[in-house]
Amino acid sequence: MTPHGQIDTPQFMPVGTQATVKALTPGDLRGAGAQVILGNTYHLNLRPTAERIARLGGLHRFMAWDGPILTDSGGFQVFSLADLRRVDDDGATFTSHLDGSIHHLTPERAMEIQALLGSDVAMAFDQLVDPGLPLAQVADAMQRTNRWAERSLAARSRPDQAVYGIIQGGVDPELRRESVAVISALPFDGIAVGGLSVGESKSQMAATLEVVTEALGDDPRPRYLMGVGSPVDFFTAVERGIDLFDCVLPTRVARTGQVWTDAGRLNLRNAAFMDDPTPLDAACACEACVHHSRAYLAHLFRARELLAYRLASVHNVTWTLELMRRLRTSLSDGSFTELRDRIAPVYRRDGPNTRMTVYDAGVE
Ligand SMILES: [Zn+2]
């Protein structure tokens, strides 16, 4: 339960990077069944700035979304997107990817920004590193994240805002266990697993989740796997006790013409769909599936009509949230294995896990 409503788990959070889930209105999100969305501290603080959003009544009012919002701490973008100048125990100094201006983000400032935005759930500030770096560097970042976790909690200023801590440690089991021990001992309202979906393999992600799950034991707090959101990953993670997900993937791939269905991915740019009168997914109740054909969407993508991006995004978010609903049902009635064995195989493919971005396209 949050100040803006309940969150049923497992749950997926569509990503509203710049105070909008790309191509979707709040009404579209409600229609798709969204309960909670994510906002990005890094982006919102650079533009239009947290202070301006606070003056305009906070992020909920600014973007006209009255449901729960989780904000990230900015850590992921600072360490993946910005031109990093310096990281020390105080915080991170970086150059804005927008205009080259120099910014300094600390655990205290990350918490202040999130308090100004007024999100329901704030994230502690963490240091992300490439899990492929030498172990000593991964360990340093994890230990710094632990120190920043305490400072983030100490900087908490809103009693109506939950704060989640973040487990780091790359793909090393010992470092992950150390991180779990420190973070779970702190009075956070939820526990997030960070540092995944950054180029590791599917098996490394699964193994890391195994370690974290075992180390957390019967800790009752919500568990949030950050930045993970491909259909096959949902099953891997839910099986290991994950409650919350966020990822740009469903909306990003939608804008390239890729839609997710129970039968697998469809690429609407494929010429075969130009004459296909059937809906994207006959079982889906979204606006795109109820009113339109694959042929129509294939045409819109070829003609680069703006409606293509909206309809494909409406569908992918609806399908993803419907999958979450089916996952919740399957956990309560014991049909998880059946659901997994029906959906996951059609999405299984090799390749690293990543949410890294093609920023030159102006996407998340
Ligand atoms: Zn649909």
Side-chain angles (χ1 to χ4, degrees):
M1 198 66 193
T2 73
H4 289 86
Q6 172 153 339
I7 301 172
D8 300 316
T9 59
Q11 189 59 260
F12 175 78
M13 302 183 277
V15 179
T17 310
Q18 317 219 46
T20 165
V21 177
K22 288 191 192 302
L24 301 180
T25 66
D28 291 336
L29 290 167
R30 282 285 178 211
Q35 280 190 332
V36 50
I37 62 169
L38 183 141
N40 282 120
T41 282
Y42 171 87
H43 290 286
L44 294 173
N45 191 49
L46 291 182
R47 181 181 59 193
T49 76
E51 279 73 13
R52 179 171 285 126
I53 289 176
R55 284 197 300 277
L56 293 165
L59 185 55
H60 291 88
R61 181 178 299 176
F62 183 60
M63 66 182 292
W65 169 256
D66 60 6
I69 299 176
L70 179 147
T71 44
D72 65 12
S73 67
F76 181 80
Q77 278 80 18
V78 166
F79 293 104
S80 67
L81 167 57
D83 178 15
L84 203 58
R85 307 289 285 257
R86 193 180 72 243
V87 185
D88 55 27
D89 263 0
D90 184 53
T93 305
F94 60 94
T95 306
S96 161
H97 75 289
L98 292 177
D99 60 7
S101 56
I102 292 178
H103 299 261
H104 186 58
L105 199 55
T106 63
E108 291 76 17
R109 178 60 183 157
M111 291 300 293
E112 184 185 17
I113 292 168
Q114 295 179 85
L116 287 164
L117 295 174
S119 56
D120 299 82
V121 181
M123 300 301 300
F125 191 53
D126 63 324
Q127 182 179 0
L128 173 83
V129 290
D130 179 342
L133 284 176
L135 207 57
Q137 287 182 50
V138 180
D140 274 354
M142 181 269 287
Q143 282 151 3
R144 178 170 286 137
T145 293
N146 291 345
R147 294 191 291 275
W148 285 355
E150 293 194 37
R151 282 167 55 192
S152 296
L153 274 176
R156 177 182 205 162
S157 63
R158 292 182 70 132
D160 60 344
Q161 187 175 53
V163 183
Y164 286 14
I166 303 177
I167 294 163
Q168 289 287 355
V171 291
D172 182 79
E174 278 313 307
L175 296 184
R176 284 283 175 180
R177 282 188 202 102
E178 185 183 335
S179 180
V180 170
V182 173
I183 297 298
S184 68
L186 295 169
F188 283 114
D189 302 294
I191 306 289
V193 184
L196 290 176
S197 196
V198 291
E200 78 284 356
S201 68
K202 298 261 181 219
S203 59
Q204 283 175 318
M205 187 191 88
T208 303
L209 285 178
E210 295 274 353
V211 168
V212 169
T213 302
E214 194 189 319
L216 280 171
D218 56 5
D219 192 308
R221 290 172 285 190
R223 300 177 186 188
Y224 163 29
L225 178 55
M226 305 182 78
V228 169
S230 82
V232 72
D233 294 335
F234 293 139
F235 290 97
T236 304
V238 165
E239 210 168 357
R240 291 161 180 82
I242 294 296
D243 300 302
L244 284 170
F245 300 91
D246 81 280
C247 196
V248 294
L249 213 55
T251 43
R252 180 180 300 155
V253 301
R255 296 194 302 279
T256 69
Q258 186 188 105
V259 292
W260 294 349
T261 75
D262 277 17
R265 301 178 183 85
L266 306 181
N267 184 350
L268 294 167
R269 295 188 179 276
N270 187 327
F273 294 119
M274 295 294 291
D275 286 298
D276 190 339
T278 63
L280 299 178
D281 187 328
C284 179
C286 85
E287 189 180 355
C289 291
V290 168
H291 296 293
H292 304 292
S293 63
R294 293 174 178 183
Y296 181 60
L297 269 94
H299 158 70
L300 292 181
F301 270 102
R302 287 184 172 234
R304 297 196 179 139
E305 279 293 335
L306 297 179
L307 188 57
Y309 311 117
R310 173 164 171 265
L311 288 177
S313 299
V314 163
H315 171 77
N316 274 2
V317 171
T318 303
W319 185 86
T320 302
L321 292 168
E322 173 62 15
L323 179 62
M324 289 294 137
R325 192 195 60 75
R326 289 188 285 173
L327 279 164
R328 293 194 293 276
T329 303
S330 78
L331 292 175
S332 59
D333 71 10
S335 63
F336 176 84
T337 308
E338 187 189 317
L339 181 66
R340 182 195 62 197
D341 293 350
R342 188 156 55 83
I343 306 286
V346 300
Y347 282 95
R348 208 171 291 286
R349 84 177 162 193
D350 295 321
N353 262 15
T354 186
R355 57 184 145 158
M356 292 304 186
T357 316
V358 183
Y359 285 104
D360 60 2
V363 293
E364 301 96 335

